[in-house]
Amino acid sequence: MKRKTKLIHAGITGDPNTGAVSVPVYQVSTYQQEQIGVHQGYEYSRTGNPTRFALEELIKDLEEGQRGFAFGSGMAAIHAVFTLFNTGDHVLLTDDVYGGTYRIFTKVLTRLGIESTFVDTTDLEAVKQAIQPNTKAIYIETPTNPLLKVTDIRAISDIGHEHNLLVVVDNTFATPYWQNPLVLGADIVLHSATKYLGGHSDLVAGLAVVNSEKLGDELHFIQNAVGGILGPQDSWLLIRGIKTLGLRMEAIERNAQEIVKFLDQHDKVSKVYYPGLEQHPQHKLASEQAEGFGGIISFDVGSNEHAERLLSRLHYFTLAESLGAVESLISVPARMTHASIPEERRTELGITPGLVRISVGIEDVEDLIDDLRAALED
């Protein structure tokens, strides 16, 4: 199947019992059993729900994995995956991960005795040097949030497997429409499905896909034991959102390309971060590894004051956390999505007070550029 066809026809489609074209919302907690332990595949909705299962089968097929899992948020999915590890285990992570990821590793998983080191995963030698005897996994975001750095998934997977490590990839920015980490060698792929997969700012969800039945059994045990599952209504909304993912990603990318051209030439913008720019350090890798560059653009306007002035003058960009929606969103990472990262660490990474991140929507691009132009004027 081609990509857009797969979005519509992968996984479980319709309802064989009624002929309904859309998978029903099974708003149910428990299921009748014929005898003790004899049932039709479902016994309790924490363990499995038909609507959630349809979503899990869909993301499994889109990421070309073995099993998929749906959680109540992206952070719940990350937490579940790293509950696979034990006290004393060590994880390497991309240095400029999302602030919530940084927070869970430095403030929550540390309580369980799981150690972590943040490293520039675009530097393969630095990754090799950071591996310790107790390292069990490498976790990468690519492209990263918010600096849009691109890590070589295949190379990291080779390094990881050479050292018997699991390789986990946050694929939120690229989505399975543009990039498939499991195909490139990763073991687990994660999504904040709140973002592009849902696409309409109307749900919070997380997804995980694994490349083996063994990992699938282990992660299902955790999902069922801990219970951070996605409900049937949000599962249905997410299935519906995914059906238009291809159309949205293509429209968003067209808009992003034009906005990047505008920002890159503007004298009030000191730097633009976008993998589609030829001067981006990993532009060639991004071109080879993914089918598209995405709709996230970060740019620096020099100071917090300039950033606030820009925000106060915009009309079509909504100041909000999150990204990946049909409407264009804007944020200042240092004070919003990455505020949980200590200031000295943000400065070291280049997440400056004047750094602005936009999530491009599907509006008419002329309106978006005119909005930015007016807001950047003296």
Side-chain angles (χ1 to χ4, degrees):
M1 280 188 283
K2 300 292 187 183
R3 283 181 296 168
K4 290 195 187 72
T5 306
K6 199 172 186 179
L7 294 171
I8 305 298
H9 293 283
I12 296 170
T13 58
D15 177 27
N17 297 316
T18 64
V21 174
S22 174
V23 173
V25 178
Y26 284 90
Q27 195 71 52
V28 57
S29 61
T30 193
Y31 306 81
Q32 183 178 0
Q33 301 187 25
E34 297 174 25
Q35 301 174 32
I36 297 173
V38 179
H39 49 74
Q40 298 179 54
Y42 298 95
E43 51 187 326
Y44 190 63
S45 276
R46 171 167 41 79
T47 307
N49 174 280
T51 313
R52 188 174 87 236
F53 181 64
L55 168 63
E56 292 173 334
E57 286 290 282
L58 175 57
I59 193 61
K60 177 204 76 174
D61 288 351
L62 295 179
E63 286 288 11
E64 301 192 33
Q66 290 296 313
R67 291 181 70 177
F69 301 90
F71 298 89
S73 69
M75 293 311 306
I78 291 172
H79 181 267
V81 165
F82 285 93
T83 311
L84 292 168
F85 300 96
N86 300 309
T87 299
D89 287 348
H90 173 256
V91 180
L92 288 178
L93 295 95
T94 300
D95 53 3
D96 66 325
V97 291
Y98 165 58
T101 304
Y102 180 89
R103 179 174 57 223
I104 198 171
F105 271 92
T106 59
K107 302 294 184 182
V108 178
L109 294 176
T110 51
R111 299 179 184 179
L112 305 179
I114 296 174
E115 303 169 9
S116 57
T117 299
F118 296 85
V119 62
D120 181 358
T121 52
T122 68
D123 183 342
L124 300 180
E125 287 303 315
V127 172
K128 293 176 185 177
Q129 291 297 318
I131 295 172
Q132 303 175 10
N134 61 333
T135 303
K136 301 297 183 184
I138 304 175
Y139 177 102
I140 61 176
E141 255 183 36
T142 184
T144 61
N145 181 8
L147 298 175
L148 287 303
K149 295 197 296 187
V150 177
T151 293
D152 189 328
I153 298 172
R154 193 180 298 279
I156 290 291
S157 297
D158 289 344
I159 293 170
H161 297 154
E162 182 182 342
H163 291 82
N164 199 30
L165 312 178
L166 285 180
V167 175
V168 185
V169 180
D170 184 330
N171 200 31
T172 298
F173 275 23
T175 82
Y177 191 71
W178 290 140
Q179 179 172 272
N180 295 116
L182 300 185
V183 175
L184 296 170
D187 300 292
I188 302 175
V189 62
L190 288 162
H191 291 277
S192 174
T194 309
K195 314 303 194 294
Y196 286 109
L197 296 181
H200 294 79
S201 299
D202 56 8
L203 64 90
V204 174
L207 298 173
V209 183
V210 299
N211 71 346
S212 74
E213 286 297 331
K214 179 179 181 295
L215 277 174
D217 289 343
E218 292 175 356
L219 191 54
H220 181 260
F221 176 84
I222 291 168
Q223 183 191 44
N224 184 49
V226 178
I229 56 164
L230 189 64
Q233 183 68 37
D234 283 344
S235 295
W236 183 87
L237 279 172
L238 191 45
I239 292 170
R240 186 177 70 167
I242 287 172
K243 290 181 186 297
T244 62
L245 178 65
L247 299 173
R248 290 185 284 107
M249 292 306 289
E250 290 181 3
I252 285 168
E253 174 133 342
R254 286 193 298 270
N255 282 355
Q257 298 279 3
E258 294 302 314
I259 292 171
V260 164
K261 290 178 188 175
F262 165 76
L263 291 172
D264 195 42
Q265 297 170 2
H266 202 285
D267 59 4
K268 297 293 176 56
V269 176
S270 60
K271 187 169 184 179
V272 179
Y273 300 84
Y274 186 69
L277 282 169
E278 290 189 4
Q279 65 264 35
H280 186 283
Q282 295 93 39
H283 172 72
K284 184 175 184 293
L285 172 62
S287 304
E288 297 169 348
Q289 180 166 273
E291 298 292 328
F293 300 113
I296 304 299
I297 306 164
S298 293
F299 59 100
D300 204 313
V301 293
S303 68
N304 179 61
E305 291 73 24
H306 290 160
E308 286 198 349
R309 184 171 182 272
L310 170 71
L311 298 176
S312 70
R313 302 178 72 180
L314 290 167
H315 299 285
Y316 298 132
F317 288 84
T318 302
L319 176 62
E321 302 272 358
S322 199
L323 55 96
V326 290
E327 64 272 4
S328 293
L329 304 176
I330 192 165
S331 66
V332 177
R335 297 176 61 189
M336 297 173 74
T337 56
H338 289 65
S340 59
I341 296 176
E343 182 179 359
E344 62 273 15
R345 178 65 175 159
R346 294 198 304 266
T347 301
E348 180 184 344
L349 293 171
I351 304 173
T352 64
L355 187 72
V356 176
R357 189 194 73 188
I358 58 176
S359 170
V360 179
I362 63 172
E363 302 95 338
D364 285 315
V365 71
E366 293 85 359
D367 288 329
L368 297 177
I369 290 174
D370 287 346
D371 200 24
L372 287 167
R373 180 181 291 110
L376 287 165
E377 285 180 356
D378 290 328

